[in-house]
Amino acid sequence: MPREVFRLRNGAVLVADRFVASTAAVVVAVGVGSLYEEAGKRGVTHLLEHMLFRLPGFDVDEAVESLGGTNNAYTQRDALFIAFEGISESAAGLAELAYRLYSNEKYAEEDLKKEKDAVLSELRQTREDPSERAGELALRALFGDSDWGAPVGGTPETVEELTLADLLEHKRAWFTPGNTVVVLSGGFGKDAVDMTANLFGKLEGRAPSKKTPSKGRGPRLIEERRDVDGVYYSLAVEVAAGDAAAAHILLYGASFHLEAGTKSILFNLVRNSGVAYSYYVDYDAVGDTAYLAVVVESARSLEEARRAVEEALKPRSPPGYRLRFFEYLWRSSWRSPLNRALTLAEYVIKGGDPLRLEQAIEDAVKAGTAWLEGRLVQRGEAAVVPG
């Protein structure tokens, strides 16, 4: 059955991506993240994501497992995602549960304290992990003290000061129909579509106009010395975006060629050359801004890591065998209702057409990294080094 897109009368978007599968996924995406937070309330979206699962007198995890499913949630710079996957016959129940989390406004202060402690623990782990720290610092080196340079989860100082009133104000402002995308994917029936359309079609309100996230010029290089074995290096480059959805998919394709498989660019330049064993790629695109970052973990020297990443980011057209390898990975991934639902939700929340997603991805993979030619705006580097 072809994918269907329903634009509900209140402005909410429902994507029904039905295909033969024994499981079904329900993903709700809300168009708000760290880029739209006030500087003094950094991390409010991420903390709200944690609190969504705290319904007083109701065990969300037990309810999900009784429906034969699992749940998760994610916060990005421009969106918050609530994700469920379970046996196909429970799809309508999972949609109902997703709506209950979305619409609930009753939270307990004691639950806020528990979730705040959990978030603060996450933030400490990020700061203590030299790999994640290098990636975070590279964005600050690139964009400076700005919305784009700030960490998605906020800082311990800002999170500590957040109140229940802050979370409710944030939720009431942004959890509105015109700012919401719901995706059903996998083996669901008409009952799940009807249930989702009826529940999310009842929503009211309008989100505030989104500001243009600030971005500055950072110090270009941030170096942090600590007790580590090896060098953790990151290079982040701002990319001229134009259209966020299109740039996001192009970066998706570039990321595949940079890091996936034993013939990837970074495998050849970093692993095969002995510079380091592991690495990862991070990217995002919102509005007219996009970035691509590469992190090399526990490298034997800073200069070798820097040279390898510089070489990796040179524009390249992919050889034919890489396209066949991507086809293998894509077929494997695209059988998962949850992977499909999350990919669709992220694309739509950035303004993409869900009916054109597969074609956009195919085109992006064929483009490799050649499209980066002439589109790099500025750069920032970070290193966590022994000392």
Side-chain angles (χ1 to χ4, degrees):
M1 181 173 292
R3 185 175 298 151
E4 296 180 277
V5 181
F6 304 93
R7 300 188 184 277
L8 307 183
R9 285 186 296 179
N10 60 359
V13 175
L14 169 59
V15 179
D17 176 49
R18 188 183 293 120
F19 63 98
V20 177
S22 59
T23 61
V26 179
V27 170
V28 181
V30 183
V32 66
S34 59
L35 290 179
Y36 306 115
E37 298 170 348
E38 298 175 23
K41 295 181 180 179
R42 301 280 191 204
V44 63
T45 309
H46 182 222
L47 181 56
L48 175 59
E49 173 217 307
H50 279 247
M51 284 296 290
L52 290 175
F53 294 85
R54 291 284 192 171
L55 275 62
F58 184 80
D59 190 325
V60 174
D61 293 329
E62 182 179 311
V64 173
E65 292 192 4
S66 70
L67 288 167
T70 60
N71 59 270
N72 213 329
Y74 314 89
T75 300
Q76 296 183 353
R77 288 173 178 80
D78 61 339
L80 182 156
F81 300 88
I82 310 168
F84 295 89
E85 185 176 34
I87 56 177
S88 55
E89 53 266 38
S90 293
L94 292 173
E96 186 175 9
L97 185 56
Y99 174 77
R100 185 167 182 177
L101 267 63
Y102 179 103
S103 59
N104 173 61
E105 290 191 353
K106 295 181 179 179
Y107 301 105
E109 287 286 354
E110 57 266 30
D111 288 334
L112 175 62
K113 184 181 185 309
K114 293 173 185 175
E115 293 304 332
K116 188 180 287 188
D117 287 342
V119 168
L120 291 170
S121 177
E122 282 187 62
L123 296 178
R124 286 195 298 271
Q125 287 180 354
T126 298
R127 286 192 174 184
E128 291 167 4
D129 184 314
S131 176
E132 291 190 44
R133 182 65 171 165
E136 184 179 277
L137 289 175
L139 289 178
R140 191 189 304 171
L142 176 62
F143 293 117
D145 185 13
S146 66
D147 294 328
W148 272 100
V152 172
T155 67
E157 295 75 22
T158 55
V159 170
E160 189 68 66
E161 295 301 315
L162 292 171
T163 66
L164 203 51
D166 293 328
L167 267 65
L168 287 171
E169 180 183 17
H170 192 66
K171 186 176 186 183
R172 288 166 182 159
W174 296 103
F175 277 51
T176 55
N179 201 38
T180 300
V181 174
V182 186
V183 179
L184 301 178
S185 188
F188 57 87
K190 184 177 182 298
D191 60 329
V193 178
D194 292 344
M195 171 75 77
T196 306
N198 177 59
L199 290 173
F200 285 88
K202 297 188 300 184
L203 299 174
E204 298 178 350
R206 175 177 292 185
S209 298
K210 290 180 178 176
K211 67 175 182 177
T212 299
S214 63
K215 61 178 180 180
R217 289 181 63 86
R220 294 294 176 264
L221 172 63
I222 298 176
E223 187 173 295
E224 187 172 281
R225 295 188 174 275
R226 61 161 76 173
D227 185 17
V228 291
D229 293 324
V231 170
Y232 294 79
Y233 171 76
S234 179
L235 172 63
V237 293
E238 182 183 356
V239 181
D243 175 77
H248 173 73
I249 295 300
L250 283 169
L251 288 165
Y252 174 94
S255 174
F256 160 73
H257 289 298
L258 282 166
E259 69 175 338
T262 54
K263 292 298 290 183
S264 69
I265 297 169
L266 285 168
F267 191 100
N268 181 56
L269 293 170
V270 175
R271 177 93 59 92
N272 278 347
S273 65
V275 172
Y277 177 78
S278 57
Y279 45 81
Y280 67 87
V281 176
D282 179 35
Y283 62 90
D284 203 355
V286 181
D288 62 357
T289 299
Y291 76 85
L292 175 65
V294 176
V295 178
V296 176
E297 302 175 310
S298 194
R300 62 191 179 192
S301 82
L302 176 58
E303 286 308 313
E304 285 181 300
R306 179 181 280 125
R307 282 197 299 269
V309 174
E310 293 277 4
E311 182 66 25
L313 290 182
K314 290 181 178 178
R316 290 175 170 84
S317 295
Y321 62 82
R322 288 292 294 174
L323 305 184
R324 293 294 288 172
F325 177 57
F326 178 79
E327 185 178 353
Y328 156 70
L329 292 182
W330 178 254
R331 290 186 183 186
S332 301
S333 173
W334 217 231
R335 286 197 296 263
S336 164
L338 183 58
N339 286 346
R340 287 171 70 129
L342 284 167
T343 304
L344 281 161
E346 186 173 36
Y347 187 54
V348 176
I349 211 73
K350 290 182 182 295
D353 179 354
L355 301 181
R356 292 201 66 256
L357 174 62
E358 285 87 350
Q359 186 60 56
I361 288 176
E362 181 181 339
D363 292 344
V365 173
K366 288 179 179 177
T369 60
W371 64 275
L372 289 169
E373 184 74 47
R375 296 182 67 169
L376 302 187
V377 180
Q378 59 174 336
R379 53 183 284 155
E381 297 176 278
V384 178
V385 298

